[in-house]
């Protein structure tokens, strides 16, 4: 039975082995920002590659895109983020700590165990503002998570989540811009460009991986919720009326993706959003949840799959028609009302003409939206294991080969009898095909343990027998079994084992 990792185990392994470091550590660190070290960047790249392979490369109906992080201010007006992308917060009057209202916990009844009771809304990333407002009427029994004071909060107020920055060097033409809080809007803004430059026909999807930024009120649990993170998003455009069917399709496809990359089925589940949790753009949403061993010690969102209907394309049609008002207001978004010429929607550039059915419509969108950092954390947690081997603890990461930062480690048993030269040749040959690691220092057992802890699926050792019959040992990380493989078969053998 594998050991259930605690968050501390993961944080300490990540630091010790160079997966993840606190940002700006030499200056004491920057809260909620993290850097990926040599092993971490390989892991993260592999998560991205695996997502891109299954979402773009292996499908005929999805194309890729890479949009800029900074976008025209009207994008965020039209998408609703400028007005609605906020969390409701309240400030403790005693210690001035601001907390998300839906994260405040009730004071426990005297009969309840120590601590405070968990609230169902703790599961959610962002509860819709209107619903949060309705729920926030009575904070008299809520506890400040910082100082423990009960019921002494300010009136709840919306806290905007988008980071602001200034663009332009001159005072006259500098503009307030926002760092994107989701990658999705770049896809909607390029819908027409993709239609006009490729042969895609509905149903089809546009996929993108990239950084997003949110000035989260509460960050937590290592890389689980941070202010700068990477998303992998697919906007899948389909004919209205076929959306429910595509929603089911993507739900299953995304669940299977995690399972195929090794997450244990018992640690994954779906959770439907309640109506009051739905984001302002969604008709329906289901989360893929993972049983993370921290926070409320419970199931938490790994990915959201939403039916965004035609909301975004319609909103951008309205946005385009409102552009003049934006110029007239000198770039001030506050009082701009989006154009509402309903009858014009179908004529706009974001509509689609189906030349088979000879009809025009605004496509519906199904959006699977995954967090790359959060997935990497789930793979770390799920792969983590500790075993007793001959009286010693062996730490290992049981990564699927596709995700393992290093696929093959190559060792000469000893630094003599020409073994390092043979090992180096093998290493130089194999690294053309896989990410490999060469190590000739220390006892062989220690070298194996270091690779187990890095999640390396296979270690090759060049030993005395290699000099006689040109075979090397191939050691399997999980079983620790060793077999001998002829050096001229190595590449093919490893390819099969690694499925690459
Ligand atoms: N475009 C839809 C969208 O952005 P979301 O549920 O807000 O939906 C999708 O985000 C995914 O992005 C989440 O399931 C999570 O994996 C990841 N994510 C969101 N906020 C995050 C944060 N602050 N830190 C790390 N990952 C985050």
């Amino acid at each position: 039975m594998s050991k259930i990792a605690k968050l501390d185990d993961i944080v300490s392994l990540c630091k010790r082995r160079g997966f993840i470091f606190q940002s700006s550590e030499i200056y004491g660190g920057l809260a909620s920002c993290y850097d990926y070290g040599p092993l971490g960047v390989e892991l993260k790249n592999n998560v991205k590659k695996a997502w891109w392979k299954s979402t773009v490369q292996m499908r005929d109906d999805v194309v890729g895109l890479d949009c800029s992080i900074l976008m025209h201010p009207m994008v965020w007006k039209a998408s609703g983020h400028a007005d609605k992308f906020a969390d409701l917060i309240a400030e403790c009057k005693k210690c001035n700590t601001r907390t998300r209202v839906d994260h405040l916990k009730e004071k426990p009844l005297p009969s309840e165990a120590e601590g405070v009771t968990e609230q169902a809304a703790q599961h959610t990333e962002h509860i819709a503002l209107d619903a949060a407002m309705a729920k926030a009427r009575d904070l008299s029994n809520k506890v400040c998570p910082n100082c423990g004071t009960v019921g002494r909060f300010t009136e709840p107020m919306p806290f905007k989540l988008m980071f602001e920055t200034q663009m332009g060097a001159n005072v006259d033409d500098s503009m307030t811009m926002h760092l994107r809080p989701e990658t999705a809007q770049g896809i909607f803004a390029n819908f027409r460009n993709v239609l006009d430059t490729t042969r895609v026909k509905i149903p089809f999807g546009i996929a993108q991986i990239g950084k997003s930024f949110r000035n989260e009120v509460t960050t937590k649990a290592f890389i689980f919720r941070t202010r700068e993170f990477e998303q992998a998003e697919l906007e899948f455009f389909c004919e209205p009326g076929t959306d429910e069917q595509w929603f089911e399709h993507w739900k299953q496809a995304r669940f299977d993706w995690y399972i195929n990359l090794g997450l244990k089925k018992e640690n994954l589940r779906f959770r439907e959003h309640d109506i009051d949790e739905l984001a302002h753009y969604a008709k329906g949403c289901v989360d893929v949840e993972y049983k993370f061993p921290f926070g409320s010690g419970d199931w938490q969102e790994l990915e959201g799959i939403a039916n965004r209907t035609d909301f975004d394309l319609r909103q951008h049609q309205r946005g385009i028609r409102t552009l003049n008002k934006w110029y007239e207001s000198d770039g001030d978004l506050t009082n701009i009302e989006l154009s509402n010429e309903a009858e014009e929607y179908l004529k706009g550039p974001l509509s689609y003409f189906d030349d088979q059915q000879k009809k025009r419509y605004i496509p519906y969108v199904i959006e699977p939206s995954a967090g790359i950092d959060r997935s990497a954390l789930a793979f770390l947690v799920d792969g983590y294991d500790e075993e007793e081997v001959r009286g010693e603890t062996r730490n290992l990461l049981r990564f699927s080969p596709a995700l393992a930062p290093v696929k093959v480690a190559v060792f000469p048993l000893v630094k003599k009898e020409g073994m390092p030269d043979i090992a180096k040749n093998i290493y130089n040959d194999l690294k053309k095909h896989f990410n490999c690691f060469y190590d000739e220092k220390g006892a062989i057992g220690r070298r194996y343990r270091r690779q187990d802890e890095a999640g390396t699926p296979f270690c090759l050792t060049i030993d005395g027998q290699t000099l006689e019959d040109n075979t090397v040992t191939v050691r399997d990380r999980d079983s620790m079994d060793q077999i001998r493989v002829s050096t001229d078969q190595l590449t093919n053998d490893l390819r099969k084992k690694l499925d690459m």
Side-chain angles (χ1 to χ4, degrees), residues 319-417:
I320 302 164
R321 283 172 205 289
T322 314
L323 198 54
N324 274 344
K325 288 195 199 159
W326 180 76
Y327 284 118
E328 287 158 15
S329 74
D330 239 357
D332 180 4
L333 290 176
T334 13
N335 295 319
I336 293 184
E337 287 282 330
L338 289 184
S339 153
N340 219 348
E341 301 160 61
E343 73 285 1
E344 295 290 317
Y345 289 148
L346 280 181
K347 295 189 197 144
L350 303 184
S351 66
Y352 175 80
F353 183 70
D354 182 328
D355 50 12
Q356 299 257 293
Q357 300 188 67
K358 305 277 177 260
K359 67 174 186 185
R360 186 172 281 280
Y361 56 85
I362 310 245
Y364 266 39
V365 172
I366 305 303
E367 176 198 67
S369 170
I372 294 293
D373 312 79
R374 205 171 282 187
S375 302
L377 183 59
F379 289 120
L380 280 160
V381 166
D382 217 77
Y384 184 88
D385 205 359
E386 281 176 20
E387 286 183 344
E388 281 299 300
V389 180
R390 290 184 286 280
E392 267 186 41
T393 305
R394 172 171 100 108
N395 290 331
L396 68 160
L397 286 169
R398 296 186 191 273
F399 284 142
S400 104
L403 297 182
V406 175
K407 313 294 182 202
V408 183
V410 183
F411 310 143
L413 181 64
V414 286
K415 276 201 272 180
K416 53 187 180 190
E417 295 167 32

Side-chain angles (χ1 to χ4, degrees), residues 125-126 181-184 214 216 223-227 229-231 233 235 281 301-304 308 367 369-374:
E125 273 308 296
H126 296 287
E182 61 170 12
T183 65
R214 297 180 189 177
E216 299 280 6
I223 53 170
F224 181 85
R225 187 181 300 126
T226 51
R227 296 193 171 104
F229 54 96
E230 232 168 328
Q231 289 186 309
E233 301 202 290
E235 307 304 319
Y281 49 73
E301 177 181 336
L302 194 52
E303 160 160 2
R308 291 182 82 126
E367 176 198 67
S369 170
I372 294 293
D373 312 79
R374 205 171 282 187

Side-chain angles (χ1 to χ4, degrees), residues 66-96:
D66 182 17
C67 306
S68 61
I69 286 170
L70 297 173
M71 297 184 73
H72 194 289
M74 276 301 290
V75 168
W76 308 115
K77 181 72 186 176
S79 71
H81 287 85
D83 297 324
K84 292 198 175 146
F85 196 56
D87 278 337
L88 203 61
I89 57 165
E91 189 170 310
C92 171
K93 288 184 181 162
K94 182 152 181 236
C95 71
N96 300 113

